Amino acid sequence: MQNNTFSTIFVGQNLIKLSSVDSTNNFLKSLVSKSEPLPEGTVIMAENQFAGRGQVESTWQAEPGKNLTFSLLLRPAFLDLSAQFKLNMAISVAIQQAVIPLTGVGLSIKWPNDIYFQNKKIGGILIENIVAGSRIKACIIGIGINVNQQKFDEKLQNRAGSIYQILHNDVNLLSLLTQICSRIEVAYLKLRAGNYNNLRQQYLDCLYLNGVKANYRQNGEIIEGKITGVGDNGILSLETNAGIKTYNFKEIEFI
Ligand code: BTN
């Protein structure tokens, strides 16, 4: 389905809306693996995603009709596999920039790529690559944003939040989607043009707890540290009592 709502060149121009699907990432991945001729920038969005997937085998729960659950197809052949964290940075910065006009200050990116408002997660990103050699042939960027959901499961309610809980008002899902797509396109084109330093700075500028002393858990042990940077490979640097320590994904937990 072609759409004219988006003022972008390609991101979101081919928008496929599904009323119900297990996971928009699975759906898009299966189209790509069947070599369906999909243009770069294709977006699959679902009103109801009944088996949404999160990072590290977790699930992503979203009340039907209330939230944004969508997946975007990009073909960043210009990016080496080892540089894929740059795409993570570009996407999270784009989402932060699209959502902050609604929420105001308090919106940040929690390393590596969670979208946080104050101390609650309001959005997540799941990037899955289809690789050829050392290059990324296709990239499925799954994005979930809690928009108009008012309540969360008891288990989640201390950690998860939504834009509704900040504004006490509903937000139009399609207009937020267009804002996100347009910011993603700008960030992606910047990355493609090699203008990465600026993106990196934008990422660090809105990084949750950057430069602030906080407690972290590593292998069951609590350590105090201050984030001092994130490498181009996504490695987090913490200044601790024992000097600068570096951590890969999931090696450390925020508490
Ligand atoms: C995370 O755990 O933080 C990542 C969550 C990603 C959720 C989105 S919703 C749309 C897309 N389809 C999925 O199954 N997951 C992603």
Side-chain angles (χ1 to χ4, degrees), residues 23-25 49 52-55 60 70 114 121 124-125 142-144:
S23 148
T24 55
N25 265 36
Q49 185 178 244
R53 294 188 296 112
Q55 289 162 23
W60 184 259
F70 65 97
D114 288 341
K121 177 162 170 170
I125 304 167
I143 299 175

Side-chain angles (χ1 to χ4, degrees), residues 21-27 44-46 49 51-62 68-72 113-115 121 123-128 140-145 250:
V21 73
D22 56 346
S23 148
T24 55
N25 265 36
N26 291 354
F27 187 89
I44 310 289
M45 131 185 231
Q49 185 178 244
R53 294 188 296 112
Q55 289 162 23
V56 279
E57 314 293 307
S58 64
T59 58
W60 184 259
Q61 294 168 26
L68 281 179
T69 46
F70 65 97
S71 299
L72 159 69
N113 58 10
D114 288 341
I115 305 297
K121 177 162 170 170
I125 304 167
L126 177 66
I127 300 189
E128 298 184 283
I140 314 289
I141 313 224
I143 299 175
I145 311 283
K250 301 295 157 199

Side-chain angles (χ1 to χ4, degrees), residues 38-173:
L38 290 176
E40 183 172 35
T42 292
V43 168
I44 310 289
M45 131 185 231
E47 204 173 304
N48 176 22
Q49 185 178 244
F50 54 84
R53 294 188 296 112
Q55 289 162 23
V56 279
E57 314 293 307
S58 64
T59 58
W60 184 259
Q61 294 168 26
E63 191 182 328
K66 299 273 184 186
N67 300 297
L68 281 179
T69 46
F70 65 97
S71 299
L72 159 69
L73 173 66
L74 290 177
R75 299 188 190 277
F78 60 92
L79 264 191
D80 210 73
L81 198 52
S82 61
Q84 67 148 315
F85 190 72
K86 293 180 178 178
L87 188 61
N88 255 283
M89 280 190 179
I91 302 292
S92 27
V93 162
I95 297 174
Q96 199 269 355
Q97 290 175 337
V99 176
I100 201 163
L102 295 171
T103 63
V105 285
L107 192 73
S108 61
I109 300 168
K110 184 176 160 216
W111 177 79
N113 58 10
D114 288 341
I115 305 297
Y116 258 57
F117 184 78
Q118 293 169 352
N119 292 318
K120 286 189 171 177
K121 177 162 170 170
I122 66 163
I125 304 167
L126 177 66
I127 300 189
E128 298 184 283
N129 294 318
I130 297 169
V131 174
S134 66
R135 297 263 145 198
I136 304 171
K137 191 174 146 213
C139 208
I140 314 289
I141 313 224
I143 299 175
I145 311 283
N146 300 332
V147 185
N148 296 324
Q149 184 161 337
Q150 298 188 13
K151 287 198 185 120
F152 292 86
D153 274 5
E154 215 174 306
K155 274 190 286 164
L156 284 177
Q157 67 185 5
N158 292 329
R159 290 180 285 135
S162 67
I163 298 176
Y164 180 90
Q165 291 178 337
I166 302 159
L167 302 182
H168 303 289
N169 262 320
D170 275 354
V171 165
N172 182 288
L173 293 178

